[in-house]
Amino acid sequence: MLKKFSATVLGLSMLFTAGLGSAFADSKLDQEIDKVLGTRYSYGGMTTSGFDCSGFTMYIFSAMGMKLPHQSGSQFEMGTAVSREDLRPGDLIFFNTSGQGVSHVGIYIGDDQFAHASTSRGVVTNRLGESYYAERYIGAKRIMDDSAYENHASE
């Protein structure tokens, strides 16, 4: 009986965790990110064969009909600055991971989580509040206007 219960609990836990990368699991943004979670890191990569950080953001935004350049510094020049307290899903978030200014970008997905292409783990989600990212956080930019947000990033 315990074995059957454990298998049921495991099955239910997998059901409830699969595909729930963000607070907005039913949004187009979340669906597009879920499709590429686990994709390997590839310097200069912009496809499902491998992504670098800005190639990942480019790919996701392209799937929603928006163009981004392929460089985190260039993406940082776009959009409107938004405070950390006002982040909403779809905002780009930027980090200084190299000591040389903007060097990493991810997509905020809600609930203190963001998706990005990690050099060591490929496309993953992390908490923005994790010490590594919190210490290197530079800022955020809102690329999607309210209409695009309603169409792609809200429930």
Side-chain angles (χ1 to χ4, degrees):
M1 181 65 139
L2 183 57
K3 196 176 213 180
K4 185 177 179 182
F5 176 74
S6 295
T8 302
V9 170
L10 177 62
L12 287 173
S13 71
M14 290 175 72
L15 174 69
F16 287 115
T17 58
L20 293 179
S22 80
F24 299 98
D26 292 330
S27 73
K28 178 155 176 63
L29 172 68
D30 198 67
Q31 291 170 13
E32 293 300 329
I33 291 170
D34 281 350
K35 289 178 191 176
V36 298
L37 282 175
T39 301
R40 72 180 185 87
Y41 180 87
S42 176
Y43 182 78
M46 303 180 292
T47 70
T48 55
S49 295
F51 293 110
D52 66 10
C53 66
S54 61
F56 165 70
T57 56
M58 253 180 76
Y59 180 88
I60 297 298
F61 274 73
S62 177
M64 295 184 297
M66 294 172 259
K67 290 185 67 96
L68 295 179
H70 187 204
Q71 206 275 333
S72 57
S74 296
Q75 291 179 8
F76 186 70
E77 299 301 319
M78 300 178 70
T80 304
V82 60
S83 71
R84 188 164 169 182
E85 296 77 32
D86 292 327
L87 287 171
R88 71 181 185 193
D91 289 340
L92 294 179
I93 54 175
F94 297 90
F95 305 89
N96 178 352
T97 57
S98 68
Q100 304 290 318
V102 174
S103 56
H104 190 63
V105 61
I107 303 171
Y108 187 73
I109 57 174
D111 198 27
D112 193 46
Q113 300 279 320
F114 69 102
H116 63 119
S118 161
T119 57
S120 61
R121 297 176 295 133
V123 178
V124 294
T125 61
N126 283 94
R127 280 189 327 97
L128 190 51
E130 290 176 33
S131 61
Y132 179 85
Y133 296 106
E135 292 168 9
R136 290 162 177 81
Y137 180 80
I138 292 176
K141 294 293 183 91
R142 182 154 298 153
I143 304 300
M144 285 190 256
D145 62 21
D146 289 342
S147 176
Y149 172 75
E150 290 298 321
N151 289 330
H152 301 298
S154 65
E155 282 188 84

Short mmCIF file of all heavy atoms in Angstrom, two decimals, residues 21-24 84-85 87-89 93 95 107-115 125-131 133-134 137:
data_model
loop_
_atom_site.label_atom_id
_atom_site.label_comp_id
_atom_site.label_asym_id
_atom_site.label_seq_id
_atom_site.Cartn_x
_atom_site.Cartn_y
_atom_site.Cartn_z
N GLY A 21 6.80 26.76 -14.99
CA GLY A 21 7.99 27.55 -14.81
C GLY A 21 7.72 28.94 -14.28
O GLY A 21 8.63 29.62 -13.85
N SER A 22 6.50 29.41 -14.36
CA SER A 22 6.22 30.77 -13.88
C SER A 22 4.84 30.85 -13.27
O SER A 22 4.07 29.90 -13.29
CB SER A 22 6.32 31.76 -15.05
OG SER A 22 5.14 31.75 -15.82
N ALA A 23 4.54 32.03 -12.80
CA ALA A 23 3.23 32.27 -12.23
C ALA A 23 2.15 32.34 -13.31
O ALA A 23 0.97 32.32 -13.01
CB ALA A 23 3.25 33.57 -11.43
N PHE A 24 2.55 32.42 -14.56
CA PHE A 24 1.62 32.57 -15.67
C PHE A 24 1.75 31.39 -16.62
O PHE A 24 2.10 31.52 -17.78
CB PHE A 24 1.86 33.89 -16.40
CG PHE A 24 1.68 35.07 -15.51
CD1 PHE A 24 2.76 35.67 -14.91
CD2 PHE A 24 0.42 35.55 -15.23
CE1 PHE A 24 2.58 36.75 -14.05
CE2 PHE A 24 0.24 36.61 -14.37
CZ PHE A 24 1.31 37.22 -13.79
N ARG A 84 12.69 47.19 -10.13
CA ARG A 84 12.56 45.78 -9.74
C ARG A 84 11.21 45.52 -9.08
O ARG A 84 10.62 44.45 -9.25
CB ARG A 84 13.71 45.41 -8.80
CG ARG A 84 13.75 43.95 -8.51
CD ARG A 84 15.05 43.53 -7.91
NE ARG A 84 14.92 42.17 -7.42
CZ ARG A 84 15.86 41.52 -6.81
NH1 ARG A 84 17.01 42.08 -6.62
NH2 ARG A 84 15.66 40.30 -6.40
N GLU A 85 10.70 46.48 -8.35
CA GLU A 85 9.41 46.33 -7.68
C GLU A 85 8.24 46.29 -8.67
O GLU A 85 7.17 45.81 -8.34
CB GLU A 85 9.18 47.48 -6.69
CG GLU A 85 10.16 47.51 -5.54
CD GLU A 85 11.54 48.08 -5.94
OE1 GLU A 85 11.62 48.96 -6.83
OE2 GLU A 85 12.54 47.62 -5.36
N LEU A 87 8.38 44.90 -11.83
CA LEU A 87 8.56 43.89 -12.88
C LEU A 87 7.27 43.14 -13.16
O LEU A 87 6.49 42.85 -12.25
CB LEU A 87 9.63 42.88 -12.45
CG LEU A 87 11.07 43.35 -12.47
CD1 LEU A 87 11.97 42.30 -11.82
CD2 LEU A 87 11.53 43.65 -13.88
N ARG A 88 7.07 42.83 -14.43
CA ARG A 88 5.96 41.97 -14.83
C ARG A 88 6.51 40.96 -15.84
O ARG A 88 7.55 41.20 -16.48
CB ARG A 88 4.79 42.77 -15.40
CG ARG A 88 5.04 43.38 -16.76
CD ARG A 88 3.84 44.18 -17.21
NE ARG A 88 4.05 44.66 -18.57
CZ ARG A 88 3.31 45.58 -19.15
NH1 ARG A 88 2.30 46.13 -18.48
NH2 ARG A 88 3.56 45.96 -20.39
N PRO A 89 5.83 39.83 -16.00
CA PRO A 89 6.31 38.83 -16.95
C PRO A 89 6.55 39.44 -18.33
O PRO A 89 5.76 40.24 -18.81
CB PRO A 89 5.18 37.80 -16.98
CG PRO A 89 4.59 37.91 -15.60
CD PRO A 89 4.64 39.37 -15.28
N ILE A 93 15.55 41.33 -17.97
CA ILE A 93 16.35 41.69 -16.81
C ILE A 93 17.82 41.47 -17.14
O ILE A 93 18.18 40.52 -17.83
CB ILE A 93 15.91 40.91 -15.55
CG1 ILE A 93 15.92 39.42 -15.79
CG2 ILE A 93 14.53 41.36 -15.12
CD1 ILE A 93 15.61 38.63 -14.55
N PHE A 95 22.13 41.71 -16.13
CA PHE A 95 23.12 41.44 -15.10
C PHE A 95 24.53 41.77 -15.59
O PHE A 95 24.80 41.72 -16.78
CB PHE A 95 23.09 39.94 -14.71
CG PHE A 95 21.74 39.46 -14.29
CD1 PHE A 95 20.84 38.97 -15.22
CD2 PHE A 95 21.36 39.53 -12.96
CE1 PHE A 95 19.59 38.52 -14.83
CE2 PHE A 95 20.11 39.09 -12.56
CZ PHE A 95 19.22 38.59 -13.50
N ILE A 107 14.58 36.70 -19.03
CA ILE A 107 13.20 37.16 -19.14
C ILE A 107 12.49 36.91 -17.80
O ILE A 107 12.44 35.76 -17.34
CB ILE A 107 12.45 36.43 -20.26
CG1 ILE A 107 13.17 36.61 -21.60
CG2 ILE A 107 10.99 36.91 -20.35
CD1 ILE A 107 12.62 35.74 -22.72
N TYR A 108 11.97 37.97 -17.22
CA TYR A 108 11.22 37.83 -15.97
C TYR A 108 9.93 37.08 -16.28
O TYR A 108 9.23 37.39 -17.24
CB TYR A 108 10.93 39.20 -15.37
CG TYR A 108 10.30 39.11 -14.00
CD1 TYR A 108 11.06 38.72 -12.90
CD2 TYR A 108 8.97 39.38 -13.80
CE1 TYR A 108 10.50 38.62 -11.63
CE2 TYR A 108 8.39 39.29 -12.54
CZ TYR A 108 9.17 38.90 -11.47
OH TYR A 108 8.60 38.79 -10.21
N ILE A 109 9.60 36.06 -15.45
CA ILE A 109 8.39 35.26 -15.68
C ILE A 109 7.40 35.33 -14.53
O ILE A 109 6.38 34.65 -14.54
CB ILE A 109 8.74 33.79 -16.01
CG1 ILE A 109 9.58 33.15 -14.91
CG2 ILE A 109 9.43 33.70 -17.37
CD1 ILE A 109 9.85 31.66 -15.11
N GLY A 110 7.69 36.16 -13.53
CA GLY A 110 6.77 36.32 -12.41
C GLY A 110 7.23 35.58 -11.18
O GLY A 110 8.09 34.69 -11.24
N ASP A 111 6.70 35.97 -10.03
CA ASP A 111 6.95 35.30 -8.76
C ASP A 111 8.44 35.20 -8.44
O ASP A 111 8.92 34.15 -8.01
CB ASP A 111 6.29 33.92 -8.79
CG ASP A 111 6.13 33.32 -7.40
OD1 ASP A 111 6.02 34.09 -6.43
OD2 ASP A 111 6.13 32.08 -7.29
N ASP A 112 9.19 36.28 -8.70
CA ASP A 112 10.63 36.37 -8.44
C ASP A 112 11.45 35.39 -9.28
O ASP A 112 12.57 35.05 -8.93
CB ASP A 112 10.94 36.18 -6.94
CG ASP A 112 12.37 36.58 -6.59
OD1 ASP A 112 12.82 37.66 -7.03
OD2 ASP A 112 13.05 35.80 -5.89
N GLN A 113 10.89 34.91 -10.39
CA GLN A 113 11.58 33.94 -11.25
C GLN A 113 11.92 34.57 -12.60
O GLN A 113 11.19 35.44 -13.09
CB GLN A 113 10.67 32.73 -11.51
CG GLN A 113 10.24 31.98 -10.28
CD GLN A 113 11.32 31.03 -9.80
OE1 GLN A 113 11.98 30.38 -10.58
NE2 GLN A 113 11.49 30.95 -8.49
N PHE A 114 13.02 34.08 -13.18
CA PHE A 114 13.35 34.49 -14.54
C PHE A 114 13.91 33.29 -15.29
O PHE A 114 14.42 32.34 -14.70
CB PHE A 114 14.31 35.67 -14.57
CG PHE A 114 15.71 35.38 -14.09
CD1 PHE A 114 16.75 35.20 -15.00
CD2 PHE A 114 16.00 35.29 -12.73
CE1 PHE A 114 18.04 34.93 -14.56
CE2 PHE A 114 17.29 35.03 -12.29
CZ PHE A 114 18.31 34.84 -13.20
N ALA A 115 13.77 33.33 -16.61
CA ALA A 115 14.31 32.29 -17.48
C ALA A 115 15.49 32.87 -18.22
O ALA A 115 15.48 34.05 -18.60
CB ALA A 115 13.24 31.82 -18.47
N THR A 125 15.35 28.20 -15.24
CA THR A 125 14.76 29.29 -14.47
C THR A 125 15.51 29.39 -13.15
O THR A 125 16.01 28.40 -12.63
CB THR A 125 13.26 29.09 -14.21
OG1 THR A 125 13.06 27.90 -13.46
CG2 THR A 125 12.48 29.02 -15.51
N ASN A 126 15.60 30.60 -12.64
CA ASN A 126 16.21 30.87 -11.34
C ASN A 126 15.39 31.94 -10.64
O ASN A 126 14.62 32.66 -11.26
CB ASN A 126 17.65 31.39 -11.50
CG ASN A 126 18.62 30.29 -11.82
OD1 ASN A 126 18.92 30.05 -12.99
ND2 ASN A 126 19.13 29.63 -10.81
N ARG A 127 15.63 32.06 -9.34
CA ARG A 127 15.02 33.14 -8.57
C ARG A 127 15.90 34.38 -8.71
O ARG A 127 17.11 34.31 -8.57
CB ARG A 127 14.91 32.75 -7.09
CG ARG A 127 13.76 31.86 -6.75
CD ARG A 127 13.55 31.65 -5.25
NE ARG A 127 14.76 31.64 -4.43
CZ ARG A 127 15.23 32.70 -3.75
NH1 ARG A 127 14.61 33.85 -3.77
NH2 ARG A 127 16.33 32.58 -3.02
N LEU A 128 15.28 35.50 -8.95
CA LEU A 128 16.00 36.77 -9.04
C LEU A 128 16.65 37.11 -7.71
O LEU A 128 17.69 37.74 -7.67
CB LEU A 128 15.02 37.87 -9.48
CG LEU A 128 15.58 39.21 -9.86
CD1 LEU A 128 16.70 39.10 -10.88
CD2 LEU A 128 14.47 40.09 -10.38
N GLY A 129 16.06 36.64 -6.62
CA GLY A 129 16.58 36.93 -5.29
C GLY A 129 17.77 36.08 -4.88
O GLY A 129 18.36 36.32 -3.82
N GLU A 130 18.14 35.06 -5.68
CA GLU A 130 19.33 34.27 -5.36
C GLU A 130 20.53 35.20 -5.28
O GLU A 130 20.67 36.10 -6.11
CB GLU A 130 19.59 33.20 -6.42
CG GLU A 130 18.58 32.08 -6.42
CD GLU A 130 18.80 31.09 -7.56
OE1 GLU A 130 19.97 30.87 -7.95
OE2 GLU A 130 17.81 30.56 -8.05
N SER A 131 21.40 34.97 -4.31
CA SER A 131 22.49 35.92 -4.06
C SER A 131 23.34 36.18 -5.30
O SER A 131 23.69 37.34 -5.58
CB SER A 131 23.37 35.45 -2.90
OG SER A 131 23.96 34.20 -3.19
N TYR A 133 22.56 36.25 -8.48
CA TYR A 133 21.87 37.16 -9.40
C TYR A 133 21.54 38.49 -8.75
O TYR A 133 21.66 39.54 -9.39
CB TYR A 133 20.63 36.47 -9.98
CG TYR A 133 21.02 35.28 -10.81
CD1 TYR A 133 20.82 33.99 -10.34
CD2 TYR A 133 21.65 35.43 -12.04
CE1 TYR A 133 21.21 32.89 -11.08
CE2 TYR A 133 22.05 34.34 -12.79
CZ TYR A 133 21.84 33.07 -12.30
OH TYR A 133 22.25 31.99 -13.03
N ALA A 134 21.14 38.48 -7.50
CA ALA A 134 20.82 39.73 -6.80
C ALA A 134 22.03 40.66 -6.76
O ALA A 134 21.90 41.87 -6.94
CB ALA A 134 20.32 39.43 -5.40
N TYR A 137 22.61 42.07 -10.47
CA TYR A 137 21.46 42.69 -11.14
C TYR A 137 21.78 44.14 -11.49
O TYR A 137 22.24 44.90 -10.64
CB TYR A 137 20.24 42.61 -10.23
CG TYR A 137 18.98 43.21 -10.78
CD1 TYR A 137 18.20 42.51 -11.68
CD2 TYR A 137 18.56 44.47 -10.39
CE1 TYR A 137 17.02 43.05 -12.19
CE2 TYR A 137 17.40 45.03 -10.87
CZ TYR A 137 16.62 44.31 -11.78
OH TYR A 137 15.47 44.85 -12.28
#
